[in-house]
Amino acid sequence: MVRLCCSSLSFWALPGNLRLTLRSACAARTLLRSYSQDTTPEKLTIAGIDYPTDSWTNVPQSIISQYGRRLHIEPNHPLSITRQLVESRFPGFKSHNALPGVVTVDQNFDSLGFTPDHPGRSRTDTYYINEGTLLRTHTSAHEVDIFRENSTDGWTLSADVYRRDAVDKSHYPIFHQMEGALTWDRSSFDSPQACLDAIKQSFDKLPRHDLVVEDPNPPFHKERNPLQEKYHSAAEAELVGAHLKRSLEDMVVTIFAAADKALTASGQAVEGEKEPLKVRWVEAFFPHTSPSWEMEVWWRGDWLEVLGCGVIDQPLLIRADQPDRIGWAFGIGLERIAMLLFGIPDIRLFWSKDARFLKQFNESEPIKRFQPFSKHPSAPRDVAFWLPKSSKEAIVAETSSSGTSAPSSAGGQQTEPPRDVKSEPAFHENDLMEIARTIAGDTVEDVRLIDDFTHPKTSRRSLCYRVEYRSLERTLTTEEVNAMHEKVCGEMVEKFGVEIR
């Protein structure tokens, strides 16, 4: 009987066919040993500042290494060009584009009224530096501070935000949001009517358009989209909402006119798809605006969700020491708009340092459609596993991707039931996404659940995920892909105690 092990002498003494069979198993054992040690350092250094770590720390080095890239202000970058296009429709507004991404839990959640059991607070959704400090999950983390500063009536803010999310062509753990707000100080007017008159005069000065606008719902609704009766009159809320909608309609006219010109110039426009631009307002819910809406735009034969907005929650302004102000706010995902403007098919491209990508864009010239410079084959690999037999904690699989448009999308799914954010599920698919990204980096293109099976006799549950590997710059070798996938499987076993099928 031959003893099989991974030492160099005994392994290489085996026949070639057995060596090939055992190589993966030996590699997996090596990986399990390497991953069995606690790799959390005593401190994290981010942008030259040291932060102590604790049991909440879950920021991988792959995320820290990208911190500070600030693509939204990088000259000639498509995200920066998109930001400037949006800013151009808000003359006189103060722009905040360089606020640090490390914020407190109070800034990111508490100051905005997020409940203690909001799913966005969970470690499965948010990158924590320690229990009290995190990487912002939305630009709204700075709202209260900016309102408290009270340096201008109108402002815009753009920044990188961080979120543990799905792996696919439209989601990345770091993305960019932009928001804007405009308020009026009621205490500076002689009467409530004088304030209303000032808002109306501002509304009348806004650019007019010939958009087809679908807005079938009332300005507010007691159950679906309530008026803040304690703080706002019906007239105030209706006029502020109208001002908001007209301002954002003007913005999308500018954005999609530029997109149409780029399509036509590239020769990619299809005449049958050219229809008049339409806007549809949909009632929505966000934690710190009410009434609230989502804007959808009909463009090139499809309705596109573009942004979220609403009348600012008055308690938020009160927390910012601005109880007399009233106004509106909106939030928009820059990647989503830039992908439409430039025809960029994969969100990973925004992070590329390849000159073939970067040299295609120039902020001093009209917007041009992205020209693909390579297309390399994908390499799909499946990972199927039995969940632990004794697991009593929750299993979270096939979650919907978080949105990037809403001004209050702080991570987590609003439709999830409340849960204790200090407890963790036995398995959350965001953890698999994080493992794949940490090991494979930007060569992992997509991770999705393809099978969910419960054994009829043992009641054991099995999940199977398909991981698509594809480099944007070259063809991956089979050996490279297999090595990455073995590491993913090994990490799954070590971290979650699953049994690979």
Side-chain angles (χ1 to χ4, degrees):
M1 186 173 184
V2 179
R3 178 179 174 85
L4 304 180
C5 65
C6 287
S7 67
S8 59
L9 288 176
S10 57
F11 181 83
W12 291 109
L14 295 172
N17 59 337
L18 283 179
R19 293 202 307 269
L20 182 62
T21 302
L22 292 173
R23 184 175 290 117
S24 295
C26 293
R29 286 173 57 188
T30 302
L31 281 166
L32 292 184
R33 288 196 296 270
S34 66
Y35 284 120
S36 64
Q37 302 175 359
D38 182 9
T39 57
T40 302
E42 292 184 357
K43 65 180 180 180
L44 291 179
T45 302
I46 303 176
I49 300 175
D50 292 337
Y51 298 91
T53 62
D54 57 25
S55 61
W56 281 71
T57 305
N58 66 348
V59 185
Q61 190 59 41
S62 58
I63 296 297
I64 295 175
S65 66
Q66 297 278 45
Y67 183 90
R69 287 279 304 274
R70 294 183 175 181
L71 303 182
H72 61 292
I73 56 175
E74 182 178 309
N76 298 318
H77 193 281
L79 291 177
S80 180
I81 296 172
T82 303
R83 169 190 59 80
Q84 293 175 65
L85 188 62
V86 174
E87 287 177 348
S88 72
R89 305 317 303 161
F90 299 98
F93 280 39
K94 182 178 180 179
S95 297
H96 301 268
N97 297 322
L99 296 173
V102 176
V103 298
T104 65
V105 169
D106 178 73
Q107 286 176 298
N108 201 79
F109 295 119
D110 301 338
S111 71
L112 298 169
F114 283 91
T115 59
D117 57 4
H118 189 280
R121 293 179 182 262
S122 172
R123 292 176 71 250
T124 61
D125 294 281
T126 295
Y127 288 114
Y128 280 90
I129 297 169
N130 52 49
E131 187 173 5
T133 313
L134 50 84
L135 296 178
R136 63 181 164 224
T137 64
H138 54 172
T139 49
S140 298
H142 303 285
E143 271 193 6
V144 169
D145 294 333
I146 295 175
F147 282 131
R148 183 178 289 118
E149 181 184 279
N150 197 27
S151 62
T152 179
D153 292 336
W155 52 263
T156 60
L157 160 65
S158 63
D160 45 357
V161 298
Y162 302 77
R163 206 175 294 172
R164 302 179 87 229
D165 207 346
V167 174
D168 58 40
K169 291 184 177 182
S170 61
H171 291 87
Y172 199 80
I174 312 172
F175 55 100
H176 298 77
Q177 285 184 334
M178 184 171 184
E179 63 180 86
L182 178 62
T183 61
W184 291 265
D185 186 355
R186 292 180 286 189
S187 67
S188 66
F189 296 94
D190 294 334
S191 66
Q193 185 59 49
C195 181
L196 285 172
D197 291 342
I199 299 174
K200 181 64 166 60
Q201 290 171 9
S202 177
F203 173 82
D204 290 338
K205 293 177 181 178
L206 293 172
R208 297 184 178 275
H209 56 72
D210 57 0
L211 278 177
V212 175
V213 177
E214 297 180 12
D215 192 8
N217 298 304
F220 43 83
H221 187 279
K222 187 173 183 179
E223 287 83 26
R224 299 193 312 265
N225 213 9
L227 166 72
Q228 299 178 55
E229 293 181 299
K230 183 178 178 180
Y231 305 104
H232 302 158
S233 69
E236 286 175 326
E238 183 171 356
L239 191 51
V240 169
H243 194 290
L244 164 66
K245 291 176 180 179
R246 175 71 66 82
S247 299
L248 297 180
E249 287 161 4
D250 171 67
M251 181 188 74
V252 299
V253 167
T254 300
I255 290 173
F256 286 91
D260 275 328
K261 289 179 181 178
L263 266 176
T264 301
S266 68
Q268 298 175 22
V270 177
E271 189 59 34
E273 293 180 352
K274 187 70 172 78
E275 300 179 47
L277 193 68
K278 292 189 290 186
V279 163
R280 180 165 66 189
W281 290 103
V282 180
E283 292 177 333
F285 168 78
F286 303 123
H288 56 283
T289 57
S290 187
S292 304
W293 302 274
E294 290 179 345
M295 174 196 269
E296 297 179 353
V297 173
W298 177 264
W299 185 67
R300 299 282 168 178
D302 198 10
W303 283 106
L304 308 173
E305 181 186 326
V306 174
L307 57 83
C309 61
V311 178
I312 300 168
D313 184 46
Q314 204 63 29
L316 184 151
L317 290 168
I318 292 171
R319 290 192 293 272
D321 302 322
Q322 302 299 326
D324 295 320
R325 285 193 170 270
I326 184 174
W328 53 253
F330 75 91
I332 192 169
L334 286 181
E335 274 86 352
R336 179 170 179 78
I337 300 303
M339 291 172 89
L340 291 171
L341 273 173
F342 297 95
I344 295 172
D346 193 314
I347 197 170
R348 294 175 297 167
L349 280 164
F350 290 115
W351 294 88
S352 175
K353 297 180 181 179
D354 193 317
R356 293 174 296 176
F357 174 76
L358 296 174
K359 287 186 176 180
Q360 294 191 37
F361 312 103
N362 191 324
E363 60 192 34
S364 63
E365 298 177 355
I367 289 174
K368 297 178 182 178
R369 300 285 286 184
F370 167 67
Q371 299 299 316
F373 51 83
S374 62
K375 180 67 172 178
H376 302 285
S378 67
R381 298 289 188 276
D382 294 344
V383 51
F385 51 89
W386 293 106
L387 293 164
K389 294 180 182 179
S390 59
S391 174
K392 295 182 180 180
E393 294 87 358
I395 304 297
V396 182
E398 202 171 21
T399 59
S400 58
S401 304
S402 64
T404 62
S405 299
S408 58
S409 52
Q413 303 307 312
Q414 295 284 357
T415 56
E416 285 185 18
R419 65 175 187 256
D420 180 2
V421 297
K422 291 189 176 182
S423 66
E424 295 187 22
F427 171 79
H428 193 296
E429 69 176 21
N430 279 358
D431 294 318
L432 171 57
M433 307 290 179
E434 194 64 47
I435 288 171
R437 280 194 174 108
T438 298
I439 291 171
D442 285 353
T443 62
V444 60
E445 178 179 80
D446 188 80
V447 179
R448 64 187 182 277
L449 182 68
I450 61 172
D451 185 59
D452 186 342
F453 168 73
T454 300
H455 196 285
K457 293 183 178 180
T458 65
S459 296
R460 289 193 72 185
R461 187 177 176 188
S462 169
L463 301 175
C464 182
Y465 285 83
R466 177 153 297 162
V467 184
E468 299 270 358
Y469 300 91
R470 189 202 306 262
S471 170
L472 295 170
E473 298 174 355
R474 62 184 180 84
T475 298
L476 298 172
T477 66
T478 299
E479 290 76 12
E480 287 176 306
V481 175
N482 288 344
M484 289 187 290
H485 198 63
E486 284 179 4
K487 289 182 179 181
V488 170
C489 295
E491 184 84 332
M492 287 289 294
V493 172
E494 175 64 21
K495 286 201 168 184
F496 304 111
V498 303
E499 180 184 332
I500 301 295
R501 294 180 62 185

